Amino acid sequence: MAWAGGLRQNFPVNDEMAILIAESAVLTALLSAILPLFFLNRPHLQSLVAFFLLGGSGLAAAWGGGMALLLQTTGQVVLPIGLPWLHVSLCLDPLAGFFLFIVGFITFTVACYGSGYIREYIGGQLSIGTLTLFTGLFACGMFLVLLAADAFSFMLAWELMSLASYFLVVFQHHQPENRHAAFIYLLMAVVGGAFLFLAYGVLAGFSDGFSFAAMKAADLSPTWATIAFTFAFLGFGLKAGIVPLHVWLPLAHPVAPSHISAMMSGVMLKVAVYGFIRFVYDLLGNIIWQWGVVVLLVGSASAVLGVLYALMQHDLKRLLAYHSVENIGIIYIGLGLSMIFHATHHLEIAALALIAALYHCLNHAIFKSLLFLGAGAILQQSRQHDMETMGGLIKKMPVTATCFLIGCISISGLPPFNGFVSEWLIFQAALQGPILKSGILGAMIPVAAAMLALTGALAAACFVKVYGIVFLGRPRSAEISEAQDPSFGMRLSQMILAVCCLGFGIFPTWVVRAINGIPESLMGTGLSSVTDNGWLWLTPVSPQTASYGAPAVFFGILVSWLIVFVFLHPLRRDNRIRLGPAWDCGFGPLNSRMQYTATAFAMPLRRIFSFIWLIVEKVEPAGPGEAPRYLLKIDDRVWLMFYVPIGKIMLKLAERASRIQGGNLRVYLSYSFFTLLFLLWVIV
Amino acid sequence: MLIATLSLPEQVVLTLAALILLSSFLLLAQVRLDSLINIFALQGLLIFFATVLMAFIAGKYHLLISAALTLFLKVYFIPGQLRKLVIRLDIRREVEVIGNPMLIMLFAAALVLFSYYVALPIRELSLLSTRNTIAISLAVVLIGMLMVISRRKAVAQVVGFMSMENGLFFAAVVSTYGMPMVVELGIAFDVLVAAILFGVFFFHIRTEIGSLDTDRLNHLTEVEK
Amino acid sequence: MTGLFWAIAKTLIVVLAAPLMVGWVKWLKCRLQNRKGPPPWQPYRDLLRLSRKHVVLAETASPIFRMAPYIVFSVTILAVSTVPVITVQLPVAALADVIALVGFLALGRFFLSLAGMDVGTAFGGMGSSREVTISSLAEPALLMAFFTLAMNVSSTNLSTVISVLGQRDITLYPSLIFSSMGLVLVAIAETGRIPIDNPATHLELTMIHEAMILEYSGRHLALMEWAAMLKLTLYSLLIVNLIVPWGVALTLVTGDLVFAALIVTGKLLLWGALLAVSETIQAKMRLFRAPQFLGLAFILSLLGMMSHIILEVQ
């Protein structure tokens, strides 16, 4: 990579520097967790110290990760802690560096936001020290997962991450539904961890050690590789949130404090994706095409179902949580395409699909965090989380509204922002499908692309609804009329993320060039032609096949806007704008109840796709002296189809097993007696 | 593209095959009975044209007789009989609701992919340049069967059954220069007799249970619930 | 430099000629309905009249309401600039491909829908809700049709597609036939023509596009109307140049360009006539039958793609 070489000449570093910076990030995060515990009675100081250190650790992580990615270094360190025969080894290569950059950057913006946000918890019943402790541990755990280079430290860091996030989710534990949501989250995190143990166990059984280097060198038969893949897919999928393993996401994200939701949705899900990529591409190596098909199908299903579930929500944070399911589905579509092309030896197209998936990881982290931070600002100002009570916020919170608009446009995948570029790259990879010799695969891939197109269109529909109901129109409740723009830190973090959305959309060639190092280190080839035509045009396959000139598009929009504006606003005398009431058909003044509600907006789509959800709709006609009542309940079918039966089976098995506990003393003594007989027989 | 190397009549045959598949999908989507019969007649017409073209491409002029038979039976006689039946039974304007139209269409699309997958090895055995259409004819047969399963009105089920036979005939024509004449005539007469018998049956079903909804035939069960 | 000059000239000509296209269709419809009707250049007079009037803004309107006409119009102009009209040899060809084109139109539609919801009336919300429903069903069909095209030609760049298609010998591709049919159906849905939406109606139960721009007045309304006319012209250009690609110049020689301009005008007039006839013989469908219409478009595009894989490749 000549480009990286050139950078290295200008910034002489050795391989160790990046990982040293990353380690300092971990230590700073740990410090941000522990240090505030010494200031128990001064919550303002606690939050200040904690978030300052957290921001610092985020910056350090982003710096170290960016350095490893851009300069293509691989640093390794073995720490003298851990089990005597199994020291903790850390490694920072370009893949880990990329994800470390994402995690660090988002942590930094959340830290800017956090101190303003948790002001509302100060003076309440909940302890700030707990919040900052577990936030720091959460960040520390995520950094360590990315740095881990052996299975033991990986699992330690993974469990630390899960546990810390559980305590964060259950932070507001006074409401029973919050505790229930957190319990489901913990349960599924633990089950996921168990699957990961099994996956690493299979790999460790065939290699001579627990370190990733040993596992990479292991030679597995296709059957065992498939078994390991299945366990890893389920384990990482549970954490990433693919359908049908996603049920904890819409429960846990709305319940956690908003900056934690941003971290969980923006970053923790990406850590799961990192784990999956590391396991499949690095540790397993020989990818079988059937795995790619499974990943592609599951990704398509998650994308479409995620956005359809999101459409019907009117709790703002739950809606955003379902959109995370959708975007993880899109990332998995990219990964599935990459795996299929890798298995059929089209390595360049596999690199393209992998780059597209990684780019979408970056983009989703940025715009999802932006959206959650905006939702948190609204929640803090108005204590409302139901969209049906909001409206007209663009006039009260202009900065939040502008940044939220940029987030909405980005997540809908519209040019010139960043969401469009990663979806465009995935489409380009999917359109190379016909190059496969198998006609069935060549047919399935464009159908997956059609699912992606459906997802994009439905996501745009959903975010028109969200932005229109929340920010435009008239306020639908009194509390919303009192809202204002939040504090400086909260505004600053949103603005930084919004600028990044635009930046990563206008300069895709630089981002793709940077990410190009990852497929080179994982597969041996990267995209060779991506920036052949200069920094202006993104040409992933070849200039005749497809090209996208992002800066030119942005420039074109600005120029045509300017021309139209100037042309229609000559300096005339009579150019006034009159204000008047909105058109009311002559019936008199309009009030806010006459607007469309979120439920009304989504009704045509609900009728068209009614077979997806479990809908209960009841209209009770008006009794004497009462108003009619309308009930609409929309539920996830997956819960009923999968989890309720599993729960019932588990309970039945548990009941059967509990019969061992007879309660009778002689029965217990006979257990010991027969065990003793058995052992004597076996040993002799 | 392989298709560019084919001559114009062969390309037209491929286009007709694709249009026949489209007519199968349209049959699945139709709700009204008279438009259903019209589309079925259209399908027969397309098969007629395809058979005529195949006769000229392959030089086997006995296919013209099969074509003429198809035109008479599938485009004039059977649709005509069905129309008369529908008018006599006074169900012309009845509209039936089929399961969930979107899901059924998606399943039909999956059937097309599945028949492509199944037909891949068979395709190697034929020497005709139009052998790619074997998958399409298999798909037409399967979609016809899907129609029989997913519809409730007996007339629609009959049309589905007939379209299965259309698919079989089309498969025979494009992959093997048509079936032996005897088999051809035998099948044609079978279909004719089936059409007449259906007509007779419909009257009896109608008088017996008062409607042509075949789900209501469940009432005829002898088992006590 | 000549390339850039021709690109700007082409965009300007198409933008200025768009109202004529709409006027032509409307004039033909009137004639078919045995009425005399306004002359084909009537839309120009409407636009001029509107741009001279004052703007009356609702009190509840936000900056988005004022920005939206400009954004919608400029994005549509950008989309038009990437479509080859008379020649494929323009430098802007590399700017965007079909997927980006769909993205531009989606961006315009996003802001249009937001503008509908901005004022806080029931009409706007209704228009926006219906518009996003229909577009969320139409966009996959459109992209599938384009994918079929792209798989046939192995490129998503519009100029490459048109030049390759125009230079091939006359071959009957079932995939292109089906994807063209799908494209036509989607174009009817996206530009709001009968049977999806009635461009001439102002009854609240039947409007989609009109409902979203109901609050606009003066120069803002002129921009919105012009953008809608431009969108119709854009889709018409796509259809005539993709289905009948012969006649698009492959070089920048002036003689070729003039000839190509004449052919494209002829194609557009013919397409306008077909559109007028089709709108006269059909009635508008109720809203909940629109998904079936778009489902048909999607099935056609899907069939096109499957025909490509099954019938056209070895």
Side-chain angles (χ1 to χ4, degrees):
Chain A
M1 278 273 296
W3 184 68
L7 261 185
R8 284 180 84 152
Q9 279 165 1
N10 290 332
F11 300 100
V13 293
N14 56 1
D15 284 345
E16 304 308 318
M17 210 167 164
I19 198 167
L20 275 175
I21 300 178
E23 285 172 330
S24 70
V26 172
L27 286 173
T28 320
L30 204 59
L31 207 62
S32 86
I34 302 181
L35 203 57
L37 291 176
F38 292 108
F39 306 116
L40 268 179
N41 287 326
R42 287 183 277 181
H44 286 283
L45 191 58
Q46 274 183 328
S47 92
L48 207 64
V49 166
F51 284 111
F52 181 70
L53 287 172
L54 193 66
S57 80
L59 270 180
W63 185 18
M67 202 187 288
L69 176 68
L70 293 175
L71 301 176
Q72 298 276 294
T73 60
T74 303
Q76 286 181 329
V77 149
V78 177
L79 297 177
I81 51 177
L83 298 172
W85 64 94
L86 184 61
H87 290 257
V88 167
S89 53
L90 303 176
C91 167
L92 182 61
D93 61 353
L95 177 66
F98 176 69
F99 281 95
L100 198 61
F101 172 76
I102 297 179
V103 176
F105 181 64
I106 301 294
T107 309
F108 167 67
T109 44
V110 164
C112 288
Y113 181 90
S115 52
Y117 183 73
I118 66 173
R119 237 174 256 165
E120 64 175 37
Y121 295 121
I122 295 179
Q125 295 169 309
L126 306 166
S127 148
I128 299 295
T130 326
L131 186 60
T132 55
L133 168 69
F134 286 113
T135 312
L137 284 178
F138 184 40
C140 180
M142 284 198 287
F143 294 151
L144 278 174
V145 168
L146 296 173
L147 289 174
D150 69 276
F152 184 67
S153 39
F154 186 94
M155 288 314 301
L156 260 183
W158 185 269
E159 295 296 338
L160 175 65
M161 185 178 80
S162 301
L163 268 183
S165 52
Y166 165 73
F167 282 110
L168 289 170
V169 168
V170 84
F171 180 64
Q172 291 164 297
H173 55 89
H174 293 296
Q175 285 99 341
E177 57 267 5
N178 293 2
R179 294 198 296 267
H180 171 72
F183 170 69
I184 302 283
Y185 171 57
L186 183 64
L187 181 63
M188 295 191 76
V190 167
V191 169
F195 276 121
L196 287 182
F197 267 117
L198 286 171
Y200 280 120
V202 168
L203 271 184
F206 283 91
S207 59
D208 53 345
F210 284 102
S211 71
F212 283 176
M215 288 184 183
K216 219 187 299 198
D219 200 12
L220 284 106
S221 67
T223 327
W224 279 110
T226 311
I227 294 178
F229 171 78
T230 315
F231 285 138
F233 182 63
L234 288 172
F236 288 116
L238 260 168
K239 188 61 111 182
I242 51 181
V243 167
L245 306 166
H246 67 287
V247 285
W248 61 270
L249 254 167
L251 290 173
H253 280 116
V255 160
S258 307
H259 63 298
I260 301 300
S261 304
M263 277 179 83
M264 282 173 67
S265 190
V267 199
M268 192 178 70
L269 304 184
K270 307 301 169 307
V271 171
V273 172
Y274 159 79
F276 184 64
I277 296 179
R278 170 74 71 196
F279 196 89
V280 172
Y281 281 88
D282 207 17
L283 299 183
L284 281 179
N286 290 333
I287 302 180
I288 304 179
W289 66 270
Q290 284 92 337
W291 300 349
V293 171
V294 167
V295 172
L296 182 66
L297 288 176
V298 167
S300 314
S302 305
V304 176
L305 286 176
V307 76
L308 282 173
Y309 285 130
L311 263 168
M312 292 298 123
Q313 302 301 323
H314 48 85
D315 178 327
L316 188 54
K317 283 166 75 171
R318 179 162 288 143
L319 181 142
L320 292 175
Y322 272 117
H323 272 287
S324 293
V325 174
E326 172 216 340
N327 280 292
I328 292 288
I330 296 179
I331 295 174
Y332 269 64
I333 289 178
L335 286 177
L337 284 174
S338 172
M339 286 163 75
I340 292 178
F341 284 117
H342 182 101
T344 49
H345 306 291
H346 295 105
L347 287 177
E348 276 230 6
I349 308 177
L352 170 63
L354 183 62
I355 289 180
L358 291 171
Y359 203 150
H360 201 76
C361 284
L362 173 67
N363 288 340
H364 180 237
I366 296 179
F367 52 62
K368 189 43 72 68
S369 309
L370 173 60
L371 289 171
F372 264 112
L373 294 184
I378 299 175
L379 187 64
Q380 186 198 44
Q381 291 293 317
S382 64
R383 312 230 178 273
Q384 301 292 325
H385 52 90
D386 191 345
M387 275 198 289
E388 309 276 26
T389 59
M390 302 185 191
L393 281 173
I394 193 172
K395 302 203 176 81
K396 309 276 170 36
M397 308 170 77
V399 174
T400 309
T402 316
C403 299
F404 203 88
L405 178 65
I406 293 180
C408 286
I409 303 181
S410 306
I411 199 172
S412 311
L414 300 174
F417 292 94
N418 55 1
F420 175 72
V421 182
S422 46
E423 288 192 15
W424 187 82
L425 285 172
I426 297 184
F427 278 128
Q428 291 303 326
L431 283 172
Q432 302 300 315
I435 212 174
L436 294 172
K437 294 204 195 60
S438 159
I440 289 292
L441 275 182
M444 217 189 292
I445 290 180
V447 175
M451 292 290 109
L452 184 59
L454 180 65
T455 309
L458 285 172
C462 189
F463 277 98
V464 166
K465 173 183 105 169
V466 169
Y467 199 79
I469 300 281
V470 172
F471 286 97
L472 305 176
R474 300 163 204 267
R476 292 176 178 81
S477 70
E479 294 89 344
I480 287 290
S481 328
E482 312 289 320
Q484 310 168 14
D485 248 335
S487 67
F488 175 68
M490 292 165 75
R491 279 179 286 154
L492 178 69
S493 48
Q494 291 181 62
M495 288 194 288
I496 295 176
L497 288 172
V499 167
C500 285
C501 277
L502 189 62
F504 284 123
I506 305 187
F507 299 113
T509 45
W510 290 343
V511 179
V512 170
R513 233 190 267 170
I515 305 181
N516 203 10
I518 300 181
E520 281 194 1
S521 67
L522 286 178
M523 291 191 263
T525 40
L527 275 185
S528 53
S529 65
V530 73
T531 47
D532 270 352
N533 288 39
W535 65 275
L536 194 58
W537 311 105
L538 183 63
T539 56
V541 181
S542 77
Q544 296 79 25
T545 309
S547 65
Y548 176 58
V553 164
F554 181 61
F555 184 64
I557 295 181
L558 281 182
V559 162
S560 37
W561 186 348
L562 212 62
I563 292 178
V564 173
F565 193 77
V566 163
F567 183 65
L568 275 184
H569 273 252
L571 294 164
R572 288 151 142 201
R573 321 162 255 136
D574 238 350
N575 223 349
R576 291 168 279 145
I577 292 187
R578 265 194 295 146
L579 284 183
W583 171 245
D584 56 11
C585 280
F587 281 119
L590 299 171
N591 63 31
S592 63
R593 280 300 292 152
M594 294 180 187
Q595 301 175 93
Y596 252 49
T597 59
T599 318
F601 193 90
M603 192 277 254
L605 283 164
R606 190 175 83 228
R607 269 186 74 160
I608 294 172
F609 290 106
S610 55
F611 55 91
I612 301 272
W613 309 279
L614 212 60
I615 301 180
V616 174
E617 193 174 4
K618 275 197 294 206
V619 180
E620 283 168 40
E626 284 176 357
R629 301 174 69 93
Y630 176 73
L631 168 73
L632 179 68
K633 212 161 91 76
I634 300 182
D635 273 326
D636 199 337
R637 265 192 214 278
V638 173
W639 188 256
L640 245 106
M641 288 196 318
F642 274 95
Y643 293 92
V644 169
I646 291 180
K648 285 194 189 144
I649 293 175
M650 286 285 132
L651 279 176
K652 273 211 193 95
L653 284 176
E655 265 178 73
R656 295 257 174 89
S658 71
R659 284 195 209 143
I660 304 179
Q661 271 187 325
N664 192 332
L665 180 65
R666 287 187 298 128
V667 174
Y668 290 156
L669 286 175
S670 64
Y671 285 155
S672 315
F673 179 60
F674 284 112
T675 314
L676 184 60
L677 288 180
F678 177 70
L679 283 175
L680 283 174
W681 176 59
V682 164
I683 293 175
V684 174
Chain B
M1 301 291 134
L2 185 65
I3 192 172
T5 62
L6 299 178
S7 66
L8 187 63
E10 287 165 338
Q11 290 175 4
V12 175
V13 168
L14 289 185
T15 309
L16 284 172
L19 286 172
I20 290 172
L21 186 61
L22 176 66
S23 66
S24 269
F25 272 92
L26 288 178
L27 277 179
L28 266 186
Q30 285 311 309
V31 173
R32 294 178 46 168
L33 287 174
D34 45 1
S35 51
L36 197 71
I37 299 173
N38 288 339
I39 294 187
F40 172 66
L42 179 69
Q43 196 178 52
L45 192 65
L46 289 170
I47 293 186
F48 164 70
F49 282 128
T51 316
V52 166
L53 275 172
M54 278 306 291
F56 285 115
I57 292 173
K60 309 272 176 168
Y61 294 102
H62 71 84
L63 277 178
L64 286 174
I65 309 179
S66 305
L69 207 59
T70 307
L71 184 67
F72 174 64
L73 276 179
K74 296 284 179 56
V75 181
Y76 286 122
F77 188 65
I78 293 184
Q81 290 297 96
L82 283 173
R83 273 192 209 106
K84 276 194 230 158
L85 197 65
V86 159
I87 294 177
R88 240 182 344 169
L89 291 170
D90 205 17
I91 52 175
R92 186 164 55 160
R93 289 210 193 81
E94 270 187 25
V95 160
E96 64 160 358
V97 176
I98 34 178
N100 187 325
M102 251 195 205
L103 281 181
I104 294 185
M105 294 290 240
L106 288 175
F107 187 58
L111 276 179
V112 174
L113 277 178
F114 176 69
S115 48
Y116 174 62
Y117 173 63
V118 164
L120 272 176
I122 305 176
R123 207 176 61 166
E124 313 299 325
L125 299 174
S126 168
L127 297 167
L128 277 185
S129 50
T130 51
R131 60 184 179 273
N132 280 331
T133 51
I134 296 178
I136 300 237
S137 28
L138 185 60
V140 171
V141 172
L142 289 177
I143 293 181
M145 190 149 208
L146 180 65
M147 232 188 111
V148 174
I149 299 174
S150 67
R151 295 283 195 149
R152 286 215 297 251
K153 290 275 182 278
V155 177
Q157 289 174 342
V158 166
V159 171
F161 170 73
M162 302 280 191
S163 95
M164 276 171 75
E165 206 274 332
N166 269 349
L168 281 173
F169 177 71
F170 186 61
V173 163
V174 294
S175 53
T176 62
Y177 299 146
M179 306 180 258
M181 213 54 212
V182 177
V183 177
E184 176 71 44
L185 286 172
I187 293 185
F189 274 121
D190 274 339
V191 170
L192 194 57
V193 167
I196 297 176
L197 280 180
F198 275 127
V200 173
F201 258 129
F202 285 167
F203 262 124
H204 282 262
I205 296 177
R206 174 64 161 257
T207 45
E208 205 61 43
I209 61 173
S211 102
L212 276 180
D213 186 335
T214 50
D215 276 354
R216 300 265 292 263
L217 287 170
N218 291 351
H219 291 251
L220 295 172
T221 177
E222 292 188 348
V223 179
E224 287 298 322
K225 281 241 170 91
Chain C
M1 274 322 283
T2 47
L4 200 60
F5 164 72
W6 280 116
I8 297 181
K10 166 200 88 171
T11 313
L12 216 59
I13 294 177
V14 173
V15 168
L16 289 174
L20 194 58
M21 174 85 190
V22 170
W24 162 248
V25 175
K26 212 184 290 190
W27 183 78
L28 273 180
K29 271 171 76 173
C30 289
R31 288 277 147 170
L32 283 170
Q33 292 167 7
N34 246 341
R35 296 188 276 143
K36 200 154 158 228
W41 52 86
Q42 179 65 24
Y44 289 110
R45 291 152 97 174
D46 289 334
L47 289 177
L48 271 173
R49 169 179 54 95
L50 281 173
S51 61
R52 284 199 204 109
K53 294 199 172 215
H54 289 168
V55 169
V56 179
L57 214 55
E59 286 155 344
T60 45
S62 70
I64 297 225
F65 191 76
R66 295 179 64 170
M67 273 193 333
Y70 298 102
I71 296 183
V72 171
F73 192 60
S74 44
V75 157
T76 318
I77 293 183
L78 192 65
V80 165
S81 70
T82 63
V83 174
V85 176
I86 45 181
T87 174
V88 295
Q89 275 288 12
L90 293 176
V92 281
L95 181 70
D97 56 353
V98 285
I99 305 178
L101 183 71
V102 173
F104 292 148
L105 293 172
L107 181 66
R109 201 171 42 230
F110 188 85
F111 273 96
L112 182 60
S113 313
L114 280 185
M117 299 206 65
D118 190 56
V119 188
T121 60
F123 291 121
M126 190 173 69
S128 299
S129 160
R130 292 173 174 185
E131 172 75 20
V132 298
T133 307
I134 291 187
S135 67
S136 63
L137 297 173
E139 209 174 283
L142 184 63
L143 277 171
M144 278 296 269
F146 281 145
F147 287 162
T148 313
L149 215 56
M151 290 201 313
N152 200 323
V153 178
S154 309
S155 163
T156 52
N157 191 315
L158 269 173
S159 306
T160 316
V161 170
I162 294 181
S163 62
V164 168
L165 283 179
Q167 290 176 317
R168 273 198 197 148
D169 305 325
I170 303 215
T171 330
L172 265 183
Y173 285 102
S175 64
L176 291 183
I177 295 177
F178 282 134
S179 54
S180 312
M181 287 200 274
L183 184 60
V184 167
L185 289 182
V186 169
I188 292 180
E190 290 269 352
T191 51
R193 315 298 299 184
I194 292 179
I196 295 281
D197 183 14
N198 191 342
T201 184
H202 285 274
L203 301 171
E204 53 262 24
L205 289 180
T206 59
M207 4 184 223
I208 300 179
H209 182 254
E210 303 296 322
M212 289 189 288
I213 60 175
L214 195 67
E215 284 294 322
Y216 279 113
S217 51
R219 55 179 179 271
H220 295 160
L221 183 58
L223 278 177
M224 284 295 203
E225 297 262 340
W226 204 348
M229 298 174 191
L230 206 51
K231 199 161 152 188
L232 176 64
T233 315
L234 172 70
Y235 272 105
S236 311
L237 277 171
L238 272 176
I239 289 174
V240 299
N241 274 347
L242 285 174
I243 300 181
V244 192
W246 305 282
V248 179
L250 300 169
T251 58
L252 283 178
V253 174
T254 318
D256 279 352
L257 289 178
V258 169
F259 184 58
L262 284 173
I263 293 194
V264 142
T265 315
K267 286 195 275 189
L268 280 178
L269 290 178
L270 187 61
W271 163 250
L274 285 173
L275 189 60
V277 169
S278 122
E279 286 204 313
T280 312
I281 54 182
Q282 290 185 69
K284 181 182 166 319
M285 287 194 289
R286 46 180 290 245
L287 179 69
F288 287 110
R289 293 228 13 228
Q292 292 172 21
F293 182 83
L294 292 165
L296 178 65
F298 185 75
I299 291 285
L300 283 171
S301 312
L302 194 64
L303 272 178
M305 192 205 73
M306 288 199 279
S307 314
H308 174 79
I309 292 173
I310 297 179
L311 292 176
E312 294 176 6
V313 218
Q314 175 61 316

